[in-house]
Amino acid sequence: MSSDKIIYVKDYTSPSGQDSADGIREAIRAALEAEAGLIVFEAGTYRLTSVEVVQTEGMVHDAGSGHQLWK
């Protein structure tokens, strides 16, 4: 991907938030949709406390994923 488009995480969340995970996911989705060539994380510590469960097709993807159908 060689695009000039840039997505800034600060437009979706901030390092000082209680949980930046949803905002980071939104930034990644926006970058994919816009075919952006770069996602910029501003300096700071991002807290990632929430979880997004993705159902798979029943193949174990990661050792220790806990459950064969969920990751």
Side-chain angles (χ1 to χ4, degrees), residues 7-69:
I7 297 295
Y8 293 90
V9 174
K10 70 179 178 184
D11 294 335
Y12 300 88
T13 190
S14 69
S16 61
Q18 290 294 328
D19 183 8
S20 296
D22 284 338
I24 291 170
R25 284 191 281 271
E26 285 181 51
I28 292 169
R29 287 184 192 110
L32 289 169
E33 186 175 305
E35 297 182 357
L38 186 65
I39 299 175
V40 176
F41 283 79
E42 291 66 29
T45 301
Y46 293 85
R47 293 177 187 222
L48 307 176
T49 59
S50 64
V51 176
E52 183 173 307
V53 177
V54 177
Q55 187 170 2
T56 66
E57 295 182 15
M59 185 174 168
V60 177
H61 297 281
D62 297 324
S65 66
H67 191 279
Q68 187 172 358
L69 297 177

